[in-house]
Amino acid sequence: MKISELSRRSGVSIPAIKYYLRDGLLPPGRATAANQASYGEDHLHRLRLIRVLIGVRKLPVNSVREILGAITEEGDLHQILGIVTEARPAALKKKQEQEAEAAERETEGVADARRLVSEMGWDVANHTAAIHTLGEVLDALSGLGSDIDWQTLLPYAELADRTSELDIKQMHGTVGLLEQAERAVLVSVLLEPALLALRRLAQEDKSARVFSGHADEAGGAGEADRADEAEEARKAPAARGGKPRSAPRGKPKGKTQGD
């Protein structure tokens, strides 16, 4: 395809594509004339990936270049998913350095996070960044005197486990490293705001059902009390030898609800 079609299909402007070509993020196309080139599907997938990493993840160009290099070298979808989800530079530290750094950051919260991972039976690397993120949250909760601990999070972990199965299913059927990487980014990065939005919508629904329901019950009790008071007032004249007032049979004509 020509650069104009590449721009149209990727959603990236022609000036931006030319910048990525000059900077080495995007490999050159096949020359078809002195000032023209043809681009293929790999260019399209790579460009979409660049667009998300820079435009959505807000990563610097150098980090994106390293990530793209690591994806090209890996050839393993599991490793590709790890690279794009953590958006870590491709010039990865040696395992010993990673473990030493992780040990320095080990806190009670991180230890609890590891207990949760063990309880769930998850197979994750010892230095996975998400363990430390979870540990920081648990440390913060403990510092606030909250009764929410790692065991409280187990039902949430079970929900996350089922969600991850859906994520992995979304990645089946892709071929080629760049297409796999693009799919991994779509599933792990772009869907996260959608998942959070779904949670907020569900919370609003449950709040309305649970808390508004309590309000309705309280309101219903108030209506019953007012009805009892009205009945007692109606019977009061009879108790004093007078004629009881008849209960209202309906809404006066011409009146609307609330009058």
Side-chain angles (χ1 to χ4, degrees):
M1 69 189 85
K2 294 182 178 180
I3 193 171
S4 57
E5 184 179 355
L6 181 63
S7 173
R8 179 182 61 80
R9 292 182 61 184
S10 67
V12 179
S13 68
I14 292 178
I17 293 175
K18 291 181 177 179
Y19 168 76
Y20 297 149
L21 287 167
R22 288 194 305 270
D23 208 47
L25 287 180
L26 195 65
R30 180 176 57 85
T32 56
N35 296 318
Q36 291 185 350
S38 178
Y39 302 92
E41 292 297 317
D42 279 353
H43 288 91
L44 179 61
H45 292 304
R46 190 179 182 97
L47 195 53
R48 286 172 174 168
L49 192 55
I50 292 169
R51 180 187 180 189
V52 173
L53 292 175
I54 292 179
V56 178
R57 294 303 298 271
K58 308 299 183 184
L59 296 179
V61 171
N62 287 340
S63 294
V64 173
R65 184 184 292 106
E66 292 179 347
I67 289 171
L68 292 172
I71 289 170
T72 304
E73 293 172 6
E74 280 295 345
D76 183 333
L77 187 53
H78 176 61
Q79 296 299 327
I80 288 173
L81 180 62
I83 290 169
V84 299
T85 53
E86 293 186 18
R88 60 181 186 264
L92 300 175
K93 299 177 181 178
K94 294 180 180 179
K95 185 177 181 180
Q96 295 83 355
E97 294 174 339
Q98 291 175 323
E99 291 179 348
E101 182 180 327
E104 290 178 1
R105 295 188 295 157
E106 194 82 13
T107 64
E108 185 60 33
V110 173
D112 284 343
R114 296 194 191 283
R115 293 186 184 100
L116 184 149
V117 169
S118 177
E119 182 72 18
M120 293 298 300
W122 286 341
D123 180 13
V124 300
N126 186 56
H127 56 270
T128 297
I131 288 181
H132 296 277
T133 300
L134 180 57
E136 290 172 359
V137 174
L138 290 170
D139 281 330
L141 288 169
S142 177
L144 292 172
S146 171
D147 59 353
I148 299 176
D149 58 13
W150 69 272
Q151 291 174 312
T152 310
L153 297 182
L154 283 173
Y156 291 90
E158 291 169 357
L159 292 173
D161 192 72
R162 292 198 290 274
T163 301
S164 70
E165 291 178 354
L166 296 174
D167 290 338
I168 298 304
K169 286 180 181 179
Q170 292 288 341
M171 295 177 62
H172 284 313
T174 54
V175 294
L177 295 179
L178 291 173
E179 185 179 354
Q180 290 173 342
E182 181 190 353
R183 191 69 175 176
V185 168
L186 293 178
V187 170
S188 62
V189 178
L190 293 185
L191 280 185
E192 284 185 353
L195 295 178
L196 180 58
L198 288 172
R199 184 185 182 192
R200 293 290 180 263
L201 292 169
Q203 286 175 335
E204 181 176 343
D205 170 71
K206 299 307 176 292
S207 174
R209 292 172 185 270
V210 174
F211 301 127
S212 294
H214 289 170
D216 289 343
E217 291 172 6
E223 290 291 339
D225 291 341
R226 287 192 291 273
D228 290 342
E229 291 173 359
E231 181 65 14
E232 289 176 2
R234 186 181 69 82
K235 293 178 179 179
R240 297 192 297 268
K243 184 177 181 181
R245 291 177 295 171
S246 60
R249 300 192 178 196
K251 188 185 294 287
K253 292 184 179 180
K255 296 288 186 179
T256 59
Q257 187 173 6
D259 288 344

